[in-house]
Coordinates of all heavy atoms in Angstrom, one line a residue:
I93 N 77.3 -47.3 -27.6 CA 78.4 -47.7 -26.8 C 78.8 -49.2 -27.0 O 78.0 -50.1 -26.9 CB 78.2 -47.5 -25.2 CG1 77.8 -46.1 -25.0 CG2 79.4 -48.0 -24.4 CD1 77.5 -45.8 -23.5
A95 N 80.7 -52.1 -25.5 CA 81.1 -52.5 -24.2 C 81.3 -54.0 -24.1 O 80.5 -54.7 -23.5 CB 80.1 -52.0 -23.1
T101 N 83.4 -57.7 -16.4 CA 82.9 -56.3 -16.3 C 83.3 -55.5 -17.5 O 83.8 -56.1 -18.5 CB 83.4 -55.6 -15.0 OG1 82.6 -54.4 -14.8 CG2 84.9 -55.4 -15.0
I102 N 83.2 -54.2 -17.4 CA 83.4 -53.3 -18.6 C 84.9 -53.0 -18.7 O 85.6 -53.0 -17.7 CB 82.6 -52.0 -18.6 CG1 83.0 -51.2 -17.3 CG2 81.1 -52.3 -18.6 CD1 82.4 -49.8 -17.4
L106 N 86.3 -47.5 -20.7 CA 84.8 -47.1 -20.6 C 84.5 -46.6 -19.2 O 83.8 -45.6 -19.1 CB 83.9 -48.2 -21.0 CG 82.5 -47.9 -21.0 CD1 82.1 -46.7 -21.9 CD2 81.7 -49.1 -21.5
W109 N 85.6 -43.0 -18.8 CA 84.7 -42.1 -19.5 C 83.5 -41.8 -18.6 O 83.1 -40.7 -18.4 CB 84.2 -42.6 -20.9 CG 83.3 -41.7 -21.6 CD1 83.6 -40.6 -22.3 CD2 81.9 -41.9 -21.7 NE1 82.4 -40.0 -22.8 CE2 81.3 -40.8 -22.4 CE3 81.0 -42.8 -21.1 CZ2 80.0 -40.6 -22.6 CZ3 79.6 -42.7 -21.4 CH2 79.1 -41.6 -22.1
L110 N 82.9 -42.9 -18.1 CA 81.8 -42.7 -17.2 C 82.1 -41.9 -16.0 O 81.3 -41.0 -15.6 CB 81.3 -44.1 -16.7 CG 80.6 -45.0 -17.8 CD1 80.4 -46.4 -17.3 CD2 79.2 -44.4 -18.1
I114 N 79.9 -38.5 -15.1 CA 78.9 -38.5 -14.1 C 79.1 -37.3 -13.1 O 80.1 -37.3 -12.4 CB 79.0 -39.8 -13.3 CG1 78.6 -41.0 -14.2 CG2 78.0 -39.8 -12.1 CD1 78.8 -42.4 -13.6
I126 N 70.6 -35.1 -19.2 CA 70.5 -36.1 -20.3 C 69.4 -37.1 -20.0 O 69.3 -38.2 -20.7 CB 71.9 -36.8 -20.4 CG1 72.3 -37.5 -19.1 CG2 72.9 -35.9 -20.9 CD1 73.6 -38.3 -19.2
G128 N 66.4 -39.4 -20.2 CA 65.5 -39.9 -21.3 C 66.3 -40.0 -22.6 O 65.7 -40.5 -23.6
K129 N 67.5 -39.6 -22.7 CA 68.2 -39.8 -24.0 C 68.4 -41.3 -24.2 O 68.8 -42.0 -23.4 CB 69.6 -39.1 -23.8 CG 70.3 -38.8 -25.2 CD 71.6 -38.2 -25.0 CE 71.6 -36.9 -24.4 NZ 71.1 -35.8 -25.2
P130 N 68.2 -41.7 -25.5 CA 68.4 -43.2 -25.7 C 69.8 -43.6 -26.0 O 70.6 -42.9 -26.6 CB 67.6 -43.3 -27.1 CG 67.6 -42.0 -27.7 CD 67.6 -41.0 -26.6
V131 N 70.3 -44.7 -25.3 CA 71.5 -45.2 -25.5 C 71.5 -46.7 -25.8 O 70.7 -47.4 -25.1 CB 72.4 -45.0 -24.2 CG1 71.7 -45.5 -23.0 CG2 73.8 -45.5 -24.3
T132 N 72.2 -47.1 -26.8 CA 72.2 -48.5 -27.2 C 73.6 -49.0 -26.8 O 74.7 -48.5 -27.3 CB 72.0 -48.6 -28.7 OG1 70.8 -48.0 -29.1 CG2 72.0 -50.1 -29.1
V133 N 73.6 -50.1 -26.1 CA 74.9 -50.7 -25.7 C 75.1 -52.0 -26.3 O 74.2 -52.9 -26.2 CB 74.9 -50.9 -24.1 CG1 76.2 -51.5 -23.6 CG2 74.7 -49.5 -23.4
V134 N 76.2 -52.2 -26.9 CA 76.6 -53.6 -27.5 C 77.4 -54.2 -26.5 O 78.6 -53.9 -26.3 CB 77.3 -53.4 -28.9 CG1 77.7 -54.8 -29.4 CG2 76.4 -52.7 -29.9
A135 N 76.9 -55.2 -25.7 CA 77.6 -55.8 -24.6 C 78.0 -57.2 -25.0 O 77.3 -58.2 -24.7 CB 76.6 -55.8 -23.4
R137 N 80.2 -60.7 -25.2 CA 81.0 -61.5 -24.3 C 81.4 -62.8 -24.8 O 80.8 -63.3 -25.7 CB 80.2 -61.7 -23.0 CG 78.9 -62.5 -23.1 CD 77.7 -61.7 -23.6 NE 77.6 -60.4 -22.9 CZ 76.9 -60.3 -21.7 NH1 76.4 -61.3 -21.2 NH2 76.8 -59.1 -21.2
D151 N 77.5 -61.7 -14.7 CA 77.4 -60.6 -15.7 C 77.5 -59.3 -14.9 O 76.5 -58.9 -14.3 CB 76.3 -60.7 -16.6 CG 76.1 -59.4 -17.4 OD1 77.0 -58.7 -17.6 OD2 74.9 -59.2 -17.8
Y152 N 78.6 -58.5 -15.0 CA 78.7 -57.2 -14.4 C 78.9 -56.2 -15.4 O 79.4 -55.1 -15.2 CB 79.8 -57.2 -13.3 CG 79.6 -58.2 -12.2 CD1 80.3 -59.4 -12.2 CD2 78.7 -57.9 -11.2 CE1 80.0 -60.3 -11.2 CE2 78.4 -58.8 -10.2 CZ 79.1 -60.0 -10.2 OH 78.8 -60.9 -9.1
V153 N 78.4 -56.5 -16.7 CA 78.4 -55.5 -17.8 C 77.0 -54.9 -17.8 O 76.7 -53.7 -17.6 CB 78.8 -56.1 -19.1 CG1 78.6 -55.1 -20.2 CG2 80.3 -56.5 -19.0
E154 N 76.0 -55.8 -18.2 CA 74.6 -55.3 -18.3 C 74.1 -54.7 -16.9 O 73.5 -53.7 -16.9 CB 73.7 -56.4 -18.8 CG 73.7 -56.7 -20.3 CD 72.7 -57.6 -20.7 OE1 71.5 -57.2 -20.8 OE2 73.0 -58.8 -20.9
T155 N 74.4 -55.5 -15.9 CA 73.8 -55.0 -14.6 C 74.4 -53.7 -14.1 O 73.7 -52.8 -13.7 CB 74.1 -56.1 -13.5 OG1 75.5 -56.4 -13.5 CG2 73.3 -57.3 -13.7
Y156 N 75.7 -53.6 -14.3 CA 76.4 -52.3 -14.0 C 76.0 -51.2 -14.8 O 75.6 -50.1 -14.3 CB 78.0 -52.5 -14.1 CG 78.7 -51.2 -13.9 CD1 78.8 -50.6 -12.6 CD2 79.3 -50.6 -15.0 CE1 79.5 -49.4 -12.5 CE2 79.9 -49.4 -14.8 CZ 80.1 -48.8 -13.6 OH 80.7 -47.6 -13.4
L157 N 75.9 -51.4 -16.2 CA 75.6 -50.3 -17.1 C 74.1 -49.9 -16.9 O 73.8 -48.7 -17.1 CB 75.9 -50.6 -18.5 CG 77.4 -50.7 -18.8 CD1 77.7 -51.1 -20.2 CD2 78.1 -49.4 -18.5
Q158 N 73.3 -50.8 -16.6 CA 71.8 -50.5 -16.4 C 71.8 -49.6 -15.2 O 71.0 -48.6 -15.1 CB 71.0 -51.7 -16.2 CG 69.5 -51.5 -16.0 CD 68.9 -50.7 -17.2 OE1 69.0 -51.2 -18.4 NE2 68.2 -49.6 -16.9
A159 N 72.5 -49.9 -14.1 CA 72.4 -49.2 -12.9 C 73.0 -47.7 -13.1 O 72.4 -46.8 -12.6 CB 73.2 -49.9 -11.8
V160 N 74.2 -47.6 -13.8 CA 74.8 -46.3 -14.0 C 74.0 -45.5 -15.0 O 73.6 -44.4 -14.8 CB 76.3 -46.5 -14.4 CG1 76.9 -45.1 -14.8 CG2 77.0 -47.2 -13.4
L161 N 73.9 -46.1 -16.2 CA 73.2 -45.3 -17.3 C 71.7 -45.1 -17.1 O 71.2 -44.0 -17.3 CB 73.4 -46.0 -18.7 CG 74.9 -46.3 -19.1 CD1 74.9 -47.1 -20.3 CD2 75.6 -44.9 -19.4
G162 N 71.1 -46.1 -16.6 CA 69.7 -46.1 -16.4 C 69.2 -45.4 -15.1 O 68.5 -44.4 -15.2
T163 N 69.7 -45.9 -14.0 CA 69.3 -45.4 -12.8 C 69.9 -44.1 -12.3 O 69.3 -43.1 -12.0 CB 69.6 -46.5 -11.6 OG1 68.9 -47.7 -12.0 CG2 69.1 -46.0 -10.3
M164 N 71.3 -44.0 -12.5 CA 72.0 -42.8 -12.1 C 71.7 -41.6 -13.0 O 71.6 -40.5 -12.6 CB 73.5 -43.0 -11.9 CG 73.9 -43.8 -10.7 SD 75.7 -43.9 -10.6 CE 76.1 -42.2 -10.2
L165 N 71.9 -41.9 -14.4 CA 71.8 -40.9 -15.3 C 70.5 -40.6 -16.0 O 70.2 -39.7 -16.7 CB 72.9 -41.2 -16.4 CG 74.3 -41.3 -15.9 CD1 75.3 -41.6 -17.1 CD2 74.8 -40.0 -15.2
G166 N 69.5 -41.6 -15.8 CA 68.2 -41.5 -16.3 C 68.1 -41.7 -17.8 O 67.1 -41.3 -18.4
L167 N 69.1 -42.3 -18.4 CA 69.0 -42.6 -19.8 C 68.1 -43.8 -20.1 O 67.8 -44.6 -19.3 CB 70.4 -42.9 -20.3 CG 71.5 -41.9 -20.2 CD1 72.9 -42.4 -20.5 CD2 71.2 -40.7 -21.2
E168 N 67.7 -43.8 -21.3 CA 66.8 -44.9 -21.8 C 67.8 -46.0 -22.5 O 68.3 -45.8 -23.5 CB 65.8 -44.4 -22.9 CG 65.0 -45.5 -23.5 CD 64.2 -44.9 -24.7 OE1 63.5 -43.9 -24.5 OE2 64.3 -45.4 -25.7
V169 N 68.0 -47.1 -21.7 CA 69.0 -48.0 -22.1 C 68.5 -49.2 -22.8 O 67.5 -49.8 -22.4 CB 69.8 -48.5 -20.8 CG1 71.1 -49.3 -21.3 CG2 70.2 -47.3 -20.0
D170 N 69.1 -49.6 -23.9 CA 68.8 -50.7 -24.7 C 70.0 -51.6 -24.9 O 71.1 -51.0 -25.3 CB 68.1 -50.4 -26.0 CG 67.5 -51.5 -26.8 OD1 67.2 -52.6 -26.1 OD2 67.4 -51.5 -28.0
F171 N 70.0 -52.9 -24.8 CA 71.2 -53.7 -25.0 C 71.1 -54.6 -26.2 O 70.0 -55.2 -26.5 CB 71.4 -54.6 -23.8 CG 71.8 -53.9 -22.5 CD1 71.0 -53.5 -21.6 CD2 73.2 -53.6 -22.4 CE1 71.4 -52.8 -20.5 CE2 73.7 -53.0 -21.2 CZ 72.7 -52.5 -20.3
I172 N 72.2 -54.8 -26.9 CA 72.3 -55.8 -27.9 C 73.5 -56.7 -27.4 O 74.6 -56.2 -27.0 CB 72.8 -55.3 -29.3 CG1 71.6 -54.3 -29.8 CG2 73.0 -56.4 -30.3 CD1 72.0 -53.5 -31.0
V173 N 73.3 -58.1 -27.3 CA 74.2 -58.9 -26.7 C 74.8 -60.0 -27.5 O 74.2 -61.1 -27.6 CB 73.6 -59.5 -25.4 CG1 74.7 -60.2 -24.6 CG2 73.0 -58.4 -24.5
K206 N 67.4 -51.7 -35.0 CA 67.3 -50.7 -33.9 C 67.7 -49.3 -34.4 O 67.2 -48.3 -33.9 CB 68.0 -51.2 -32.7 CG 67.2 -52.4 -32.1 CD 68.0 -52.8 -30.7 CE 67.1 -53.9 -30.1 NZ 67.6 -54.3 -28.8

Side-chain angles (χ1 to χ4, degrees):
I93 300 175
T101 190
I102 64 172
L106 178 54
W109 179 80
L110 288 167
I114 296 172
I126 55 175
K129 195 184 297 288
V131 54
T132 304
V133 179
V134 178
R137 65 277 315 273
D151 166 26
Y152 297 101
V153 173
E154 281 191 78
T155 51
Y156 172 72
L157 290 178
Q158 181 61 55
V160 173
L161 299 174
T163 304
M164 287 187 69
L165 302 180
L167 295 169
E168 177 190 304
V169 189
D170 188 27
F171 288 95
I172 300 173
V173 186
K206 290 184 175 185

